[in-house]
Amino acid sequence: MKKAGVIALAVAGTALFFSCGKSQYTNVDMSPKKIKVIRDFGEDASQMLLSELKSELKKALKTKGPVDAIEVCSKKALTITQEVAEEIGDIQIKRTSFKYRNPNNKPDQYEAQALKFFEETLKKTGKLPPYYIQKVDGEYRYYKPLKVQPVCLTCHGDPKHMDEKVVQKLKELYPQDKATGYKIGDFRGVIRVSIPEEVIKKSCL
Ligand code: HEC
């Protein structure tokens, strides 16, 4: 009897651990398997977007200079984002931040909750969480945090230390710009990858 009880407890404990341990990086209970599937989708999509954006940015900075490179971000960022989404299929990608440059990138209420999660955890622990997963309205949202690197300062740094022409151009294009004044290592914002619940169900049998 005693032995059976111990075994039952052990089985229940294992099941609990594997099936409904709420990860510290999710807004609802999810199995580790589901988390892995969502992370794989999210990481693939955001890495693709990041490498496309970076190579376009590098090319433009080298051949045309920082003022014209702004165009890569203002005109091409959305197109590249759509192309990456189409290539992977059934997903949506967006870049967002509390300090947004383009008002179209303003966070919605769920994105604001995710941004807050990153900011608050960073404040509490001194470390940026590697990701955050949200279940909302028939989809899973994967968030990847972005940190400021040296190259970002060309357009997101302290305007006093930026090329005057870049500052001028940004003012013209984005009169309400909130996205300057960053330092290397700062939390800049997130890439959000949305995956329909159906897609996850199919891969998570
Ligand atoms: C050549 C200038 C330039 C550089 C360099 C640059 N950005 Fe941007 N960034 C922009 C512009 C312009 C926008 C607005 C894009 C739009 O209109 O959607 C933007 C938008 C963003 C956004 C979307 C949210 C918002 O503010 O509208 C994020 C996130 C972002 N940049 C992160 C970065 C990071 C991280 C780096 C460095 C790896 C970087 N940027 C480097 C010009 C730049």
Side-chain angles (χ1 to χ4, degrees):
M1 181 63 201
K2 211 176 167 193
K3 204 172 168 193
V6 171
I7 291 171
L9 254 181
V11 170
T14 315
L16 201 72
F17 178 75
F18 281 110
S19 64
C20 47
K22 183 171 176 293
S23 156
Q24 55 190 351
Y25 304 135
T26 61
N27 74 334
V28 292
D29 285 353
M30 270 175 224
S31 70
K33 190 175 173 205
K34 189 176 269 181
I35 291 175
K36 181 167 186 320
V37 171
I38 297 169
R39 279 196 83 179
D40 286 349
F41 262 105
E43 279 301 310
D44 276 358
S46 33
Q47 287 305 342
M48 248 164 102
L49 175 63
L50 281 177
S51 62
E52 284 288 320
L53 274 177
K54 260 189 204 158
S55 74
E56 289 284 337
L57 200 59
K58 261 194 196 154
K59 218 167 47 189
L61 282 171
K62 225 185 196 170
T63 56
K64 300 178 176 170
V67 177
D68 288 317
I70 292 173
E71 289 211 338
V72 171
C73 298
S74 64
K75 293 204 182 125
K76 283 199 178 165
L78 265 183
T79 329
I80 294 173
T81 309
Q82 293 316 325
E83 279 170 10
V84 169
E86 273 166 29
E87 199 156 313
I88 296 181
D90 283 336
I91 61 156
Q92 280 184 347
I93 313 184
K94 175 179 169 184
R95 291 192 307 165
T96 186
S97 167
F98 278 135
K99 286 170 68 179
Y100 50 87
R101 172 157 284 165
N102 187 333
N104 291 336
N105 299 331
K106 188 178 162 179
D108 66 21
Q109 56 164 322
Y110 302 117
E111 290 159 356
Q113 191 235 327
L115 287 165
K116 224 167 142 199
F117 168 78
F118 284 109
E119 279 190 358
E120 282 175 359
T121 313
L122 180 63
K123 219 186 264 170
K124 255 190 267 166
T125 67
K127 271 197 197 145
L128 207 50
Y131 68 92
Y132 184 63
I133 296 173
Q134 253 173 0
K135 183 165 191 260
V136 289
D137 302 336
E139 68 179 31
Y140 290 96
R141 291 178 166 201
Y142 180 82
Y143 294 91
K144 183 182 178 68
L146 298 171
K147 267 192 189 173
V148 172
Q149 300 163 26
V151 65
C152 317
L153 298 181
T154 318
C155 303
H156 295 292
D158 180 345
K160 274 186 253 146
H161 303 300
M162 279 159 59
D163 185 325
E164 257 175 51
K165 286 194 190 122
V166 170
V167 175
Q168 190 55 39
K169 182 87 183 174
L170 287 173
K171 243 187 212 149
E172 273 168 37
L173 291 172
Y174 308 97
Q176 313 277 349
D177 190 7
K178 299 176 197 274
T180 55
Y182 283 98
K183 294 186 295 298
I184 294 170
D186 280 350
F187 171 50
R188 168 70 184 95
V190 292
I191 294 181
R192 184 204 97 201
V193 181
S194 289
I195 313 146
E197 212 173 331
E198 285 307 304
V199 173
I200 297 302
K201 262 192 201 147
K202 264 190 244 158
S203 358
C204 221
L205 290 172

